[in-house]
Amino acid sequence: VLRHDLKPTHDIFLVELHSETSVKEVCELVHPNAGLLLFPLAGAAKGVNSSGTLYVNLNDENLRKAKLRRDVTTVTFGSGLHKKADYLITYEDADDNGTQLTVQHSKYRERHTVEFKTHLKGKEAINLLLGAIAVAMEMGVTAEQINKVLYDYKPEQLLEN
């Protein structure tokens, strides 16, 4: 993908990594400006450029306890008792049609509340979605644009737990 399909006109290249080896190899190759940490993975935080951003899942107990780098911007997300999260789910209601979320965020140093509706259900799926919302909004995508995509996206197989 990197050598054949990625062009200078691309602004974002998204890759999902699950092993410490792949994190190290990819970070050495592309020098990422951002990293989304859903669970602790050795080397993942170290690979982000010093001018970059780490998005950290506060729903993971090990990440909450981890000492994070101070030379990068850190954006946190979570639900429940993690009131200090930059992106915080304050309301969640699921039914057969999906999930409605209320998310508070402090993108501009003031707390703002945004409503989201998705066909996704389940704790894990909603946590992944919150991380994606945080990354998108920090990169300038509006809540209205995110909601349009969420409304249009109908997963073939729902992740529920």
Side-chain angles (χ1 to χ4, degrees):
V1 169
L2 286 176
R3 297 189 180 170
H4 302 291
D5 298 329
L6 200 58
K7 309 256 185 295
T9 56
H10 288 105
D11 291 326
I12 297 172
F13 173 68
L14 180 65
V15 109
E16 182 176 0
L17 305 169
H18 292 278
S19 74
E20 294 173 19
T21 304
S22 61
V23 168
K24 185 175 191 277
E25 290 173 355
V26 170
C27 288
E28 287 174 355
L29 183 63
V30 298
H31 309 288
N33 290 324
L36 174 64
L37 301 177
L38 298 170
F39 54 89
L41 193 57
K46 293 177 187 170
V48 175
N49 291 333
S50 61
S51 62
T53 304
L54 278 177
Y55 298 88
V56 180
N57 173 19
L58 293 184
N59 288 332
D60 184 281
E61 182 179 350
N62 294 316
L63 284 176
R64 280 195 311 272
K65 294 176 181 177
K67 291 187 178 191
L68 299 173
R69 291 174 52 187
R70 295 181 183 261
D71 64 331
V72 296
T73 301
T74 301
V75 176
T76 58
F77 60 95
S79 59
L81 301 174
H82 315 297
K83 304 284 186 213
K84 293 184 179 181
D86 297 306
Y87 288 81
L88 175 68
I89 294 175
T90 58
Y91 174 78
E92 182 177 344
D93 184 38
D95 59 25
D96 290 341
N97 297 319
T99 306
Q100 181 177 337
L101 301 172
T102 301
V103 176
Q104 284 188 353
H105 68 89
S106 55
K107 184 168 169 40
Y108 303 107
R109 297 183 188 191
E110 295 178 18
R111 274 303 219 205
H112 299 276
T113 301
V114 184
E115 303 285 329
F116 295 99
K117 177 79 174 149
T118 177
H119 296 284
L120 296 172
K121 295 186 281 186
K123 180 181 174 183
E124 186 67 27
I126 298 306
N127 191 50
L128 293 170
L129 177 62
L130 182 58
I133 288 170
V135 171
M137 291 186 76
E138 291 294 314
M139 291 187 169
V141 180
T142 67
E144 293 79 19
Q145 292 168 315
I146 294 169
N147 265 317
K148 168 106 174 74
V149 170
L150 290 178
Y151 180 79
D152 291 345
Y153 177 69
K154 295 183 177 73
E156 294 177 21
Q157 182 178 1
L158 293 177
L159 175 63
E160 294 186 52
N161 57 0

